[in-house]
Each structure stands twice: as C-alpha cells, then as structure tokens.
Amino acid sequence: MSGIMSLLLAARVPVQSVVATFTSSGTWTAPSGVTEVEYLVVAGGGGGGGNVGSGGGAGGFRTGTGLSVTAGTDYAITVGAGGTAPGGATNGTAGNNSVFSTITSAGGGYGLKYGASGAGGAGGSGGGGTSAGGTITGGAGNTPSTSPSQGSSGGSGGSAGGNSGVGGGGGASAAGSNGSGSYPGSVVAGNGGAGTASAISGGSVNYAGGGGAGMWAAEPGAAGTASFGGGAGSKTTVGTAGTANTGGGGGGGKDSNTSGGAGGSGIVILKYNIGSATIFTFKSTQKWVAPAGAVSVDYLVVAGGGGTSTGNGGGGGGELKTGTALSITAGTEYTITVGGGGAGNTGLSNQGSAGSNSVFSSITSTGGGRPNAYGAGPWSAGATSGNGNVGGSGSAPAGGGGGGNGGTGGNVGAIVTGKQIGRAHV
C-alpha cells in the first residue's frame, strides 16, 4: 500500500495563498476549509514531423478561478505526456490530455512528415501542415471546443507544387505561421505560434508555444522558430523537443529522413487560500510552497509497505514518523515524496519488493521490507523496515518482513497433506 503524508500548520497565520504544482500525475486532497481553487491545466504538446517536418501543436492551455472543490476530497491529477517523434520520415504523435476535476486540456496535435496526406493533427493547438503537390492545411486548434479557447490552429504548408515550406504548430494564443516559397532557393519555414504566460505560481512563466517547422539543409532560409516552451525546427539535425512541463510542441526535423522533436509534457498548478491550523494531506508526490507567515508544522510521514508473494511471509509495514514544530521557511518550495507500496509477486519462488520511502524536508520514513522467497533455506530473517525489528524466522517457508517502527514480523508456517512446505519432512 502506498504511503501518506499529513501536515498541520503549527503557526497561526492569516489567510494566505498556497500553490500546489504537479509535474506528474498524482492525487490532490483538498485541505480543510478550502472550497474553491484557481487552476492552470496544460496538456502535453504534439510531436514534430520528420524529414522537413511541420511543427507539433502546443498542448491545450486552460486557466481560471473559482472552481468549486470539496474539502477532504481526493482529486485525481493527470499530467499529460508530450507526443513522441518516432524517428525518420514519420509523422509525430499527439500529446496527451491533462485533467483536474471538470477541467480537461487536450493534447497538442501532431506535426507531419514532408509530403504526408491529410491535415496536421487536431488538438488543444493544431500541428502544422505540409506540402504535397499543393497546400496541406494545419490541424485545427481548440479541439474539442472550450470557452475561453484552449489553443490555435497550425500553419499550412506552401502551395508551390511539392517543394514548398511547411507550417509551424499552433500555440495557446496564436496560430502557427504558414510555410511558403519554392525549392530550391526561396523556401520559408513556418514559425510556431505564441503561447501564453501565467503568474499563478508567482513569477510569470511561459506555456504552450507551438513547434517550429523543419527546413532543407541546402536552403538559404532558416528553420521555423519557436517560443513559450515550443521546440524550434531544424535544418541541421533533429527537431528540438518542447520544454518539459510547458506543453510546448516539438519542432520539425531537417531533410534526409531526420526525426522531429518530441512534445513537452504538461503541468497542473492549483492555487487556493488557507487559514490557520489547516491540515494538508498528500497522497502522491508533488511540490508544496509553505505559505507566508508559517514557521513550523506538525507532521505525519508514512512510507509505502512491502510487497509479498504466494506462500511467503507478509511484507513489512512502512515506517511511520510523527512530530511537532518542525521548522519550515515561508515561501520555500518543498518536494513532497510519497512512497509507493512494494509490488507483490506470484509463484512460490518469487519475492515481492520493498516499499518506497516517504520524505518531507529533513524527515524520511523508510519503506516496508519484503519477506524472503519460498524455499530459500536456511530460513533466514526477513527484511527490515526502517526502525522496525527483523522479521521472525519462519519454520516454513520464510520470515515476514520487519514491521514499521518496531514491530517484529511473525513466524510463518503451513502444513499441507502431512508435508511441511519448504523443507519437506514426511
């Protein structure tokens, strides 16, 4: 079983804003007294196309205030991964959605390889179009439709036969620019569309820019540019990847079957007000900014429990640590690590795995231990867990994992049809 962490603000502070940042999927538990949040939800950007590929579209960008939540309720947070650039003369792939409560931001549309048929990928923002005997349009943005709009369309490819510039990926606030010109000598690659800045986390940060288009190495013109976390196109190598946790689209690659760049992953940020004596509960790894005026916390930190397997002793409980008045610094961002439970296993000769540690500031609780495998004689003691004692020696087939913070694992034995499992005695 996974660990858990609770923090109680020990200092009395006036009403303050707290920011919770998720750079990977997890769970947010609405603190006591919190009834609404401000939010930023950015999806993963689309991958850029290869072989003079078009730019990938940015992940959908959605932000707002006054979203209702219920104190004490667990909310699943999904942070979308960026789309991939599979390599060579291939299209990129679409980015993945990011989700909080009723808010879903759509992954960015994919960029196209040169000469592909069909429009660039639709999504939060659309992937750029290409040229294949005529104009291939960019993918539609704001798909599915939201209000306000979550993104823009990709730029189109040029119309000069099969040898023209390709389009940039769309961004949160502007469409990708169109490709134009004619090969050889005058090709213009499309730039990625501009994204949008947000100050929800404090200072202004750029998000959701579209990817720039790729270019032929022999052309005098430049590859498409990008900003706001989007990846630039290239005329010398693979396209540039979108920046992680911005939702930027990937850039298009150069010619000679060169790959585009991957899209940047998304992000979810929540901001809300708290009063004194607020309890924060964390059930997944995330970042937490200590509110203004806070000087210490009371804490409960529990690690993940150890896994077991068929016919073996039980896994150890994760270590539990609790205390009061742990000093913190207001305005500091703390990484909250919530340990996962150890994996179980099947089969008499297989072992489970130990649980993972949970960490806050200077406090580390150690994951629960796993028991020995069946048949691994002589019957040694099981693994320990943090401050837990060694698991008991099982007469058959193995000792249990050490219990968290002091418990001793129990002996394990089983008799089946007159034979003891493990060391067989008839």
Side-chain angles (χ1 to χ4, degrees):
M1 181 176 181
S2 297
I4 192 171
M5 193 177 302
S6 292
L7 302 176
L8 170 66
L9 282 181
R12 294 226 167 241
V13 297
V15 172
Q16 299 289 343
S17 293
V18 174
V19 176
T21 301
F22 295 83
T23 55
S24 60
S25 298
T27 302
W28 178 72
T29 303
S32 56
V34 174
T35 60
E36 64 180 30
V37 297
E38 181 180 352
Y39 62 87
L40 171 68
V41 180
V42 181
N51 194 37
V52 191
S54 64
F61 176 100
R62 300 189 66 185
T63 189
T65 60
L67 180 66
S68 295
V69 296
T70 301
T73 298
D74 290 345
Y75 291 87
I77 304 285
T78 301
V79 175
T84 62
T90 58
N91 296 339
T93 66
N96 293 277
N97 296 350
S98 289
V99 183
F100 169 69
S101 185
T102 59
I103 305 300
T104 297
S105 293
Y110 55 84
L112 300 174
K113 67 180 181 179
Y114 191 81
S117 60
S125 285
T130 187
S131 179
T135 297
I136 301 295
T137 61
N142 195 31
T143 303
S145 179
T146 65
S147 182
S149 173
Q150 61 178 313
S152 309
S153 297
S156 296
S159 59
N163 298 285
S164 189
V166 299
S173 64
S177 64
N178 298 335
S180 62
S182 178
Y183 181 88
S186 63
V187 172
V188 177
N191 298 325
T196 302
S198 172
I200 188 173
S201 58
S204 181
V205 179
N206 294 332
Y207 299 98
M215 173 64 92
W216 283 276
E219 280 294 294
T225 62
S227 58
F228 292 83
S234 179
K235 63 180 293 183
T236 60
T237 184
V238 300
T240 304
T243 303
N245 300 124
T246 68
K254 78 175 191 74
D255 56 336
S256 301
N257 296 327
T258 305
S259 173
S265 54
I267 194 167
V268 174
I269 301 177
L270 306 177
K271 186 176 182 180
Y272 49 92
N273 292 330
I274 60 155
S276 60
T278 297
I279 297 174
F280 300 86
T281 301
F282 303 93
K283 297 181 180 179
S284 65
T285 297
Q286 57 193 266
K287 297 182 185 298
W288 177 75
V289 178
V295 296
S296 64
V297 292
D298 298 343
Y299 62 88
L300 170 70
V301 180
V302 183
T308 186
S309 58
T310 306
N312 296 325
E319 183 181 15
L320 179 153
K321 287 186 177 179
T322 187
T324 60
L326 176 68
S327 294
I328 58 173
T329 302
T332 297
E333 184 177 76
Y334 292 88
T335 297
I336 305 289
T337 302
V338 177
N345 213 329
T346 58
L348 293 175
S349 61
N350 298 323
Q351 293 177 322
S353 60
S356 299
N357 297 350
S358 289
V359 183
F360 171 70
S361 185
S362 61
I363 306 301
T364 298
S365 291
T366 306
R370 56 163 176 76
N372 290 337
Y374 167 77
W379 313 121
S380 60
T384 62
S385 169
N387 294 333
N389 293 331
V390 176
S393 298
S395 57
N405 204 28
T408 301
N411 293 333
V412 179
I415 302 296
V416 179
T417 62
K419 294 184 178 181
Q420 186 179 31
I421 297 176
R423 288 177 174 172
H425 296 286
V426 180

